[in-house]
Amino acid sequence: MLLIHFDGFLVLYVTTLDLKIAAFYVAQLILFEGIYLIYHLFYKKASELVLNNMIMLLSIGMIILTRISLAKAIRQFIFLTAGSVLALLIPVILQKMSVFRRLTWVYAGIGILALLAVCVMGSYSYGAKLSISFGGISIQPSEFVKILFVFYIASMLYNAADLKQVAITSGVSAVFVLILVASKDLGGALLYFFTYLMLIYAATRRFYVFAGGLGVLVVAALLGYRLFSHVQTRVAAWSDPLSVIDKAGYQICQSLFAIGTGGWFGLGLNQGLPSKIPVVEKDFVFSAIAEEMGGAFAICLILVCISCFLMIFNISMQMKDKFYKLIALGLGSIYALQVFLTIGGVTKFIPSTGVTLPLVSYGGSSLLSTMIIFGIIQGLYIIQSDQAAEKVEKPAKRSDTDGKKRKKQIQS
């Protein structure tokens, strides 16, 4: 992993002879090694696989962003540093505080108000209201609200999942989704709704609820196509991009050209034309990676993402506490669907939804929220490890006590 990071920046430096790139590499190396050191010192029971995958994705993201725009990569690094601090603090907070399961309506209230603020005051970006700007800094609240959304549903359903509780949860969840639809953030609405379905199914264990939700999703997709012109544009670009290559299909066509040109082993860093793809550093960063680093490398990147999801899902399966189980499942569902929507969009498997690739794409809000998610997952893994250790110790103590009693009985 560290060799790939070193090799990428070595190539970038040799092809540009820019000392800023060398200094930037050293700064990243210090940060990554610092994260490893802190985890190994203070979180000895943390998941090495989750930690390694997180650093791997971050290093790949920094390589390709530096190649596309050094200025944007440096800006991303600032958010990465802040996100690393949050990710390192969150496991401690989760272990020390049990109040999180009792903040049900706090999660709902803050989340709905934040989404409403975007709906009312947000600025349009590619046909949707996504962000709010403060003093030159743009924040996308939906990236953080999705975490509150998962906590809300988990805190509602961990004690009871009867009809009344499910109905209340569904009603409030619908408010989240409808606000996103009103903001024309249909990619975000899809992300929230699918996460809701996964958590409702996990809590109720009723498949017809999940199947019914998928039916509602299909109907909502058809309505979205009828109501929103930018959705029609994206569907047209997906169905036959070459017929509209001068307009709506330009982005997806350039993405496919880049992936095809790169082949299995890529053209090499600084040898391709990723700048030909509009918004390449965000929604279409996977295309730039495939073009210059190769299809084989891109497939390995997908496998790393799959490994992250499987690890999160495994943690959810092992958690005994239903509240933590639902949180892990919800966050894992968000991560998996986000990866699927991003890679599916750039490869023309599905219409583009404007969703970023977690930890790789450019975007401070996306990076910070994903770092928070990985920090929560590490905290849950540590809690699960502590619970497993306690179970091992208790039988051992009991056997010691039984042995002493028997010894006394024999002596008497």
Side-chain angles (χ1 to χ4, degrees):
M1 176 179 57
L2 293 176
L3 285 174
I4 289 173
H5 185 230
F6 171 75
D7 183 54
F9 274 90
L10 179 62
V11 172
L12 290 173
Y13 173 72
V14 169
T15 54
T16 62
L17 298 178
D18 188 347
L19 288 175
K20 291 180 182 178
I21 290 178
F24 188 41
Y25 164 75
V26 173
Q28 291 175 52
L29 186 62
I30 292 172
L31 177 62
F32 292 153
E33 291 296 340
I35 293 172
Y36 271 110
L37 180 63
I38 292 173
Y39 263 106
H40 289 153
L41 284 177
F42 299 101
Y43 302 123
K44 298 185 185 300
K45 294 181 181 179
S47 170
E48 287 286 343
L49 181 59
V50 172
L51 179 61
N52 288 341
N53 286 351
M54 182 182 75
I55 300 296
M56 171 66 85
L57 293 172
L58 288 171
S59 63
I60 293 171
M62 295 311 298
I63 290 170
I64 198 66
L65 290 179
T66 303
R67 183 269 176 265
I68 295 170
S69 170
L70 179 58
K72 288 182 177 179
I74 292 173
R75 187 181 177 89
Q76 183 86 337
F77 180 74
I78 295 171
F79 285 103
L80 172 57
T81 304
S84 300
V85 174
L86 290 174
L88 290 169
L89 290 175
I90 286 171
V92 174
I93 297 172
L94 279 178
Q95 287 178 290
K96 300 296 182 182
M97 297 177 67
S98 59
V99 71
F100 292 106
R101 68 186 71 219
R102 298 195 295 271
L103 300 177
T104 308
W105 297 108
V106 175
Y107 303 136
I110 294 174
I112 290 172
L113 288 174
L115 294 182
L116 279 174
V118 176
C119 186
V120 175
M121 301 181 296
S123 56
Y124 277 97
S125 177
Y126 301 100
K129 286 186 177 181
L130 301 175
S131 59
I132 299 178
S133 298
F134 300 98
I137 298 176
S138 182
I139 299 173
Q140 193 170 338
S142 64
E143 289 287 347
F144 304 100
V145 174
K146 66 188 179 186
I147 300 173
L148 296 177
F149 183 68
V150 169
F151 272 76
Y152 162 71
I153 296 177
S155 61
M156 281 291 288
L157 299 179
Y158 83 95
N159 266 335
D162 54 28
L163 183 60
K164 179 182 177 182
Q165 199 77 349
V166 170
I168 295 171
T169 306
S170 300
V172 177
S173 299
V175 175
F176 280 86
V177 175
L178 289 174
I179 294 173
L180 289 169
V181 172
S183 301
K184 298 184 180 179
D185 183 7
L186 301 186
L190 174 61
L191 199 65
Y192 279 54
F193 186 75
F194 183 80
T195 303
Y196 154 80
L197 278 184
M198 291 294 293
L199 291 175
I200 288 291
Y201 174 67
T204 61
R205 304 293 179 89
R206 294 168 185 166
F207 183 74
Y208 66 85
V209 174
F210 184 77
L214 289 179
V216 171
L217 185 61
V218 172
V219 174
L222 293 174
L223 285 174
Y225 176 77
R226 295 288 184 183
L227 295 174
F228 300 109
S229 59
H230 71 287
V231 175
Q232 296 172 8
T233 301
R234 289 181 178 182
V235 172
W238 165 71
S239 60
D240 189 6
L242 289 174
S243 65
V244 286
I245 189 171
D246 293 332
K247 296 179 181 179
Y250 180 78
Q251 188 180 40
I252 185 63
C253 282
Q254 290 297 330
S255 172
L256 296 175
F257 293 156
I259 294 171
T261 304
W264 281 109
F265 304 107
L267 299 176
L269 290 171
N270 278 330
Q271 304 302 312
L273 297 170
S275 58
K276 292 288 185 180
I277 308 171
V279 205
V280 65
E281 71 278 3
K282 291 185 178 180
D283 308 354
F284 283 74
V285 71
F286 183 82
S287 304
I289 292 171
E291 180 184 22
E292 296 201 340
M293 304 173 82
F297 190 91
I299 291 172
C300 291
L301 174 61
I302 295 173
L303 293 176
V304 172
C305 294
I306 292 173
S307 174
C308 288
F309 167 70
L310 292 177
M311 189 64 195
I312 296 172
F313 185 75
N314 184 50
I315 291 170
S316 175
M317 294 290 290
Q318 293 184 17
M319 295 298 300
K320 301 302 180 185
D321 189 309
K322 192 175 181 180
F323 176 68
Y324 291 140
K325 181 186 288 288
L326 290 173
I327 286 176
L329 177 62
L331 297 179
S333 299
I334 286 175
Y335 177 81
L337 183 60
Q338 199 165 334
V339 171
F340 172 75
L341 292 176
T342 305
I343 297 176
V346 304
T347 56
K348 197 184 165 295
F349 185 73
I350 58 172
S352 176
T353 55
V355 176
T356 56
L357 186 60
L359 299 177
V360 180
S361 294
Y362 174 72
S365 297
S366 175
L367 179 63
L368 285 174
S369 66
T370 309
M371 294 288 286
I372 292 171
I373 288 174
F374 272 72
I376 293 171
I377 294 303
Q378 283 287 18
L380 297 181
Y381 185 87
I382 293 168
I383 290 172
Q384 184 270 329
S385 299
D386 290 338
Q387 290 174 350
E390 288 177 4
K391 281 189 174 183
V392 172
E393 289 176 1
K394 283 180 181 179
K397 289 180 180 178
R398 285 177 185 172
S399 61
D400 291 343
T401 305
D402 293 341
K404 290 178 182 178
K405 286 181 180 179
R406 288 173 188 162
K407 192 174 182 181
K408 286 181 180 179
Q409 289 174 354
I410 292 170
Q411 289 175 347
S412 60

